[in-house]
Amino acid sequence: MERVNAILRHPVYQSYYHRLEKLEQDRPFCRHQAGHLLDVARIAYIRCLEEGCSLDKEVVYAAALLHDIGKSLQYEQKIPHEISGCVIAAEILGTLPPEAAFSEAEKEQILTAIRGHRRLRKEPELLERLLYESDKASRACFACPAEPECSWDEEKKNKEIQL
Ligand SMILES: [Fe+2]
């Protein structure tokens, strides 16, 4: 997981992560910190294994770790976070140390998945679909005290455990 931890340690990642943490500290609804990011990573990789996909584990974790990194700009400047997140993720992925670099094809896969994680396109790429599905499946709406006030569509809420 050397490449994933290089993302985690990246100063740009740390800066946006903590900016978001501060903005969400009093948020009653879902937050977008490590717990959520790792839930998404693990669900996506489990689904990948169940489906017999051959995605690289670090590529799956990198996409999950980065997918909400633009959220602070959505709160502050109303920029959709899949758009700003893609720009920030490209900067991070483009400036990792050489020993932790992702290939051009892997970077493209990750950025496409981030860009598509909020609305599923007609013919999504594999990682894009897994990220979208895992992001939604990760939320435990059935145990959330803020669920009645949550703006998610009723049919999107997880009223039961998702397998
Ligand atoms: Fe998310």
Side-chain angles (χ1 to χ4, degrees), residues 30-32 36-37 40 64 67-68 71 81 117-118 131-132 134-136 138-139 152:
C30 290
R31 299 182 190 184
H32 304 85
H36 169 61
L37 305 174
V40 173
H67 83 279
D68 284 329
K71 197 84 181 177
H81 75 273
H117 87 270
R118 291 183 77 192
L131 187 64
Y132 170 86
S134 307
D135 193 25
K136 305 293 165 284
S138 71
R139 299 308 196 178
W152 259 25

Side-chain angles (χ1 to χ4, degrees), residues 67-84:
H67 83 279
D68 284 329
I69 199 65
K71 197 84 181 177
S72 62
L73 296 177
Q74 186 167 316
Y75 291 137
E76 292 172 338
Q77 301 175 34
K78 310 263 182 273
I79 302 169
H81 75 273
E82 70 277 26
I83 306 295
S84 56

Side-chain angles (χ1 to χ4, degrees), residues 65-122:
L65 212 61
L66 288 163
H67 83 279
D68 284 329
I69 199 65
K71 197 84 181 177
S72 62
L73 296 177
Q74 186 167 316
Y75 291 137
E76 292 172 338
Q77 301 175 34
K78 310 263 182 273
I79 302 169
H81 75 273
E82 70 277 26
I83 306 295
S84 56
C86 204
V87 175
I88 298 165
E91 183 188 350
I92 294 169
L93 292 171
T95 51
L96 290 173
E99 66 278 10
F102 288 82
S103 72
E104 289 307 314
E106 288 173 331
K107 281 190 239 177
E108 249 339 287
Q109 247 183 336
I110 294 167
L111 296 179
T112 299
I114 294 170
R115 209 178 299 118
H117 87 270
R118 291 183 77 192
R119 280 166 221 88
L120 201 58
R121 293 186 300 155
K122 266 215 168 100

